[in-house]
Amino acid sequence: MNVDFLAPVKSLVLAHNELLPKHSLGRSIRIHTEKGDVPDLENAQIAIIGVNEIRSEITDYNGAIDIQAIRLELYKLFSGNWHSGIVDLGDIEPGNTLKDTYYALSEVTADLLKKNIIPLVIGGSQDLTYAMYRAYDQLEQMVNLTSIDSKFDFSSSDELIASNAYMSKVIMEQPNNLFNFSIVGYQTYFNAQEEIDLMEKLFFDAYRLGEIINDVTVVEPVFRDTDLVSLDLTSVKAAELGYAANTSPNGFDGREICAIARYAGISDKVTAFGLFNTGETLQSAQLSAQILWYFIEGFNYRKKDYPYITNINYNKYIVPLEDMDICFFESNISGRWWIEVPQIENLNNKFKRHTLLPCTHSEYLEASNGVVPERWWKAYKKMLI
């Protein structure tokens, strides 16, 4: 790993950390300090990285951020019965240009991914998601990206890369390794109808805020099929964040956003997580820390029950339809469900890992009544494009 990109955690944070109880999270994390080197990554499974970058060309986020305040609040929390090794690699400071920052973050993220270590990135504006996505180029795989946001973050210009428009760059720039994009918690009045139509045209998945508030479990399968998660803290309602800059009256509450973060952590497939637009209020720092805590807790409860890992820990159900059979798999470990998308002849090797899709028990029941799940059709059509 190129340690030149990483600045140590600030001494003020370290001084506070020394005063914490011995069972607090900060006392068990290996930290990059000014007096020491970057922590040894052996046995590390999660790496915290701060990126203090908000210089998007055009951005709807002009508030200050305080990554050190989030660290202070995270270090204070007590860990559960966890087995994961956690390191805090410090901060990637803003480069001379935005592209310099993107390059540094992409390289650090790629190095961690190759070592099977999950980068836990605290930002900064959400366009940093683009840099994390580009890190997967070095892994030569298709990527499923999920954004927890009230907006789609598309732009009408393919040259624009900004906090409120980074997804256009992700979709249009080569090499295009994006297999699926899901947005969790979008609010219709913040998005043009053309953007909503584009999501449908590309067979991407969009879940409205109201749909999730009604039943937060509806998005659990989304994260089970996600590689990279990008969480925009402004998707949380203003009152929950101490009315931080650029927040809105409507959004997730604290319990909902922490449940979503836990879903991301417990997913066996999620390999990178970013928390962006974290604000400058004490309340937003506290909630940011709790979101990270729930992601880490979820990671420590991963089931590793993907159906093809073993032949004894799942039940297979075949649903005969009019012109085809659809196979479902139920885990005996967790009770979770998957649906199989049939292989397409001469399919690009990059797509082969997407032939099993997470689903719900209710989708199995619907298929038993002759209704093919929408997620099955979308995945099948994407493979034909």
Side-chain angles (χ1 to χ4, degrees):
M1 175 177 291
N2 192 334
V3 298
D4 294 337
F5 294 138
L6 299 167
V9 174
K10 298 293 188 291
S11 57
L12 176 64
V13 177
L14 298 173
H16 279 277
N17 192 45
E18 289 299 317
L19 302 176
L20 295 177
K22 66 177 182 178
H23 296 298
S24 59
L25 188 57
R27 299 297 295 274
S28 63
I29 296 175
R30 287 174 281 156
I31 302 173
H32 181 190
T33 67
E34 293 180 352
K35 296 181 180 179
D37 296 326
V38 173
D40 184 359
L41 297 181
E42 186 176 358
N43 299 322
Q45 294 167 291
I46 295 174
I48 299 169
I49 307 160
V51 188
N52 190 18
E53 175 65 85
I54 56 173
R55 296 176 300 170
S56 303
E57 294 174 21
I58 298 176
T59 179
D60 58 357
Y61 183 78
N62 297 310
I65 61 172
D66 192 345
I67 293 173
Q68 308 313 320
I70 296 172
R71 277 197 172 94
L72 283 171
E73 296 301 324
L74 179 63
Y75 288 2
K76 289 178 185 177
L77 302 178
F78 290 95
S79 61
N81 185 22
W82 295 349
H83 55 76
S84 58
I86 306 172
V87 297
D88 191 335
L89 297 180
D91 295 332
I92 296 175
E93 298 294 347
N96 292 329
T97 66
L98 270 173
K99 288 185 177 179
D100 292 335
T101 306
Y102 294 152
Y103 177 79
L105 177 56
S106 182
E107 288 296 304
V108 171
T109 300
D111 285 344
L112 292 171
L113 292 175
K114 292 174 183 176
K115 292 179 171 63
N116 294 318
I117 299 172
I118 294 179
L120 209 58
V121 176
I122 310 170
S125 49
Q126 201 179 12
D127 53 295
L128 295 170
T129 305
Y130 165 77
M132 297 179 70
Y133 163 73
R134 287 270 70 107
Y136 286 85
D137 293 347
Q138 300 186 35
L139 275 64
E140 299 183 348
Q141 69 174 60
M142 299 301 289
V143 179
N144 285 349
L145 166 61
T146 295
S147 175
I148 303 155
D149 200 347
S150 60
K151 302 174 183 178
F152 293 138
D153 291 332
F154 292 141
S155 164
S156 58
S157 169
D158 61 1
E159 296 298 323
L160 187 59
I161 174 69
S163 176
N164 60 349
Y166 70 94
M167 274 308 303
S168 296
K169 196 79 168 176
V170 170
I171 292 171
M172 299 178 70
E173 187 177 77
Q174 296 296 326
N176 187 342
N177 294 325
L178 183 68
F179 180 76
N180 191 43
F181 171 57
S182 301
I183 186 159
V184 170
Y186 84 94
Q187 298 177 43
T188 307
Y189 41 72
F190 287 147
N191 300 278
Q193 186 59 46
E194 290 79 5
E195 295 177 302
I196 299 173
D197 293 341
L198 179 61
M199 290 287 290
E200 287 289 329
K201 182 179 179 181
L202 296 174
F203 307 112
F204 291 157
D205 301 313
Y207 295 82
R208 290 182 63 177
L209 175 66
E211 179 184 3
I212 302 169
I213 289 176
N214 184 55
D215 180 11
V216 72
T217 64
V218 73
V219 297
E220 185 275 330
V222 176
F223 293 100
R224 218 175 338 136
D225 198 37
T226 297
D227 301 289
L228 169 61
V229 177
S230 173
L231 195 162
D232 186 336
L233 198 64
T234 62
S235 63
V236 176
K237 64 177 68 174
E240 303 283 299
L241 299 174
Y243 298 95
N246 296 290
T247 52
S248 171
N250 282 312
F252 293 113
D253 65 24
R255 287 173 295 178
E256 290 158 351
I257 201 66
C258 286
I260 289 170
R262 193 177 189 276
Y263 284 146
I266 207 170
S267 165
D268 292 321
K269 193 173 181 182
V270 169
T271 50
F273 183 90
L275 175 62
F276 303 108
N277 293 339
T278 50
E280 76 288 1
T281 67
L282 174 60
Q283 202 166 325
S284 65
Q286 291 172 332
L287 183 55
S288 295
Q290 291 167 22
I291 288 169
L292 298 173
W293 188 95
Y294 272 100
F295 178 88
I296 297 170
E297 185 194 50
F299 174 83
N300 281 272
Y301 284 95
R302 289 190 172 188
K303 303 294 184 182
K304 295 181 173 59
D305 61 346
Y306 189 78
Y308 279 175
I309 292 177
T310 173
N311 291 328
I312 62 174
N313 289 326
Y314 66 89
N315 298 318
K316 182 177 180 179
Y317 301 89
I318 301 175
V319 179
L321 297 177
E322 187 172 321
D323 55 354
M324 61 180 169
D325 293 341
I326 295 183
C327 295
F328 287 83
F329 299 87
E330 179 192 18
S331 169
N332 290 330
I333 299 174
S334 65
R336 299 188 294 188
W337 287 75
W338 285 260
I339 186 173
E340 185 175 30
V341 180
Q343 288 278 2
I344 300 173
E345 190 175 354
N346 299 322
L347 180 69
N348 186 320
N349 286 333
K350 287 184 177 181
F351 290 101
K352 289 186 176 178
R353 63 196 287 268
H354 297 274
T355 55
L356 272 181
L357 297 177
C359 66
T360 62
H361 180 235
S362 62
E363 287 174 307
Y364 163 70
L365 297 177
E366 290 174 2
S368 300
N369 291 321
V371 179
V372 179
E374 184 179 1
R375 75 175 77 242
W376 187 95
W377 280 117
K378 284 185 176 180
Y380 187 75
K381 290 175 181 177
K382 275 199 285 279
M383 290 181 181
L384 294 175
I385 295 176

